């Protein structure tokens, strides 16, 4: 069901990319946009469902492994074997191809055609240009981890029974599903941003990346009434915003000076910051280096070779910077988070769930 829903989302986006939308009326375009939103929202349930189920399954597997492991010496090897996804997600498959194959110009172009959509996390994130892709290739190279414990070896050494095997199988499966959900999302965004949102941005008089700061109702209202987007409002939201329900259950977006009022209304207080950071070890090892705090994609160029990359979380866009880092620390995530899996794959230390590391 998850795979079918993900494919439905990508297929709809691909279908829309083949239509000449400039000849469609405002009402027709509104209907296409409305249908896209429905499919997108449905898929979003699966995105978050997979995320939370993965967290639950991984934590259950971790506790079982800690209980079954006779010594702590092999604990990380067991975790690595069990929580490595069934298959490589696109970003890891790309890394593997670049690291293990001698690529000529034709091979690089084939890889570019296959993976250029990877940066498309949202409609304001552009796909790679061929030049950008070539420049990134050197950062995708990794040391292949040899003599890693296989899943079957881990199962044998842990001496699991039928029910325990089911727990570990489930965790391994959801580690893969968690990555696959992101592949569906980015492929869909790649197709829809250059078609539907390109046409919407023309009619609303806003840049494509600015469309990410408009709500669904605002887009449809501007479209059917032939209005232009409020650029002043967009610029305000770029600096920060809160989306919440009001007392009538209407979705509202607060920005600028309204943000403080919203935080008070929601009862949110500024969290105290602990000097003593604690998290979960996701990939073992020791490292020392300068801290590079990454709060978003715009901070990635600041990461230099040997730095300790400290981030709220990581996703495929971060991989080139992660390749340069000597270790990774994240505020969020568990032992099957993106940071954890990539760190184990490239063989660098990683601590996840440190909560306030970026602060």
């Amino acid at each position: 069901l998850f795979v079918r829903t993900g494919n439905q989302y990508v297929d709809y986006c691909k279908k829309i990319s083949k239509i000449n939308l400039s000849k469609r009326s405002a009402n027709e375009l509104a209907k296409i946009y409305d249908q896209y939103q429905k499919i997108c929202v449905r898929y979003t349930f699966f995105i978050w469902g997979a995320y939370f189920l993965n967290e639950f399954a991984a934590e259950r597997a971790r506790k079982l492994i800690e209980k079954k492991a006779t010594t702590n010496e092999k604990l990380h090897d067991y975790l690595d074997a069990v929580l490595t996804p069934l298959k490589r997600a696109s970003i890891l498959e790309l890394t593997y191809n670049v690291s293990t194959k001698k690529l000529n110009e034709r091979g690089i172009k084939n890889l570019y055609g296959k993976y250029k959509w990877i940066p498309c996390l949202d409609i304001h994130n552009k796909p790679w240009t061929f030049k950008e892709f070539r420049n990134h290739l050197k950062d995708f190279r990794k040391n292949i981890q040899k003599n890693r414990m296989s899943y079957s070896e881990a199962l044998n050494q842990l001496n699991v029974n039928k029910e325990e095997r089911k727990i570990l199988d489930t965790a391994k499966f959801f580690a893969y599903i968690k990555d696959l959900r992101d592949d569906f999302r980015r492929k869909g965004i790649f197709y829809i941003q250059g078609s539907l949102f390109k046409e919407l941005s023309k009619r609303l008089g806003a840049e494509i990346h600015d469309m990410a700061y408009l709500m669904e109702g605002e887009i449809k209202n501007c479209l059917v009434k032939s209005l232009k987007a409020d650029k002043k409002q967009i610029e305000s939201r770029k600096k920060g915003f809160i989306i919440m329900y009001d007392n009538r259950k209407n979705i509202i977006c607060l920005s600028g000076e309204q943000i403080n009022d919203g935080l008070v209304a929601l009862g949110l207080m500024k969290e105290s910051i602990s000097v003593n950071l604690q998290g979960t070890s996701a990939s073992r090892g020791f490292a020392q280096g300068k801290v590079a705090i990454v709060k978003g994609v715009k901070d990635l160029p600041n990461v230099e070779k040997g730095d300790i990359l400290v981030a709220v979380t990581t996703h495929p866009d971060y991989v080139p910077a992660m390749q340069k880092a000597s270790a990774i620390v994240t505020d969020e995530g568990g032992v099957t988070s993106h940071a954890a899996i990539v760190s184990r794959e490239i063989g660098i230390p990683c601590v996840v769930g440190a909560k306030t590391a970026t602060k």
Side-chain angles (χ1 to χ4, degrees), residues 196-207:
L196 177 59
F197 280 94
K198 185 177 181 180
E199 185 61 28
L200 289 171
S201 70
K202 284 181 185 176
R203 301 201 190 190
L204 272 62
E207 298 293 330

Side-chain angles (χ1 to χ4, degrees), residues 140-206:
F140 280 117
R141 296 193 181 278
K142 71 178 185 70
N143 296 320
I144 303 299
Q145 297 297 295
K146 297 179 180 179
N147 303 319
R148 295 174 73 174
M149 183 182 290
S150 69
Y151 184 43
S152 59
E153 286 174 331
L155 293 175
N156 288 333
Q157 291 185 28
L158 289 168
N159 193 27
V160 296
N161 61 35
K162 189 176 180 181
E163 286 304 309
E164 291 169 338
R165 168 71 186 264
K166 190 182 292 185
I167 289 171
L168 300 184
D169 283 350
T170 302
K172 196 168 188 66
F173 173 73
F174 273 111
Y176 169 61
I177 289 294
K178 177 188 66 67
D179 286 346
L180 186 60
R181 71 195 174 107
D182 208 36
D183 284 358
F184 283 135
R185 171 181 175 171
R186 289 166 186 261
K187 282 181 184 177
I189 292 293
F190 169 72
Y191 288 114
I192 208 71
Q193 69 176 187
S195 54
L196 177 59
F197 280 94
K198 185 177 181 180
E199 185 61 28
L200 289 171
S201 70
K202 284 181 185 176
R203 301 201 190 190
L204 272 62

Side-chain angles (χ1 to χ4, degrees), residues 32-43:
I32 292 172
Y33 173 67
D34 198 47
Q35 182 63 19
Y36 167 75
Q37 286 294 98
K38 286 178 181 176
I39 293 173
C40 183
V41 167
R42 175 175 165 76
Y43 177 57

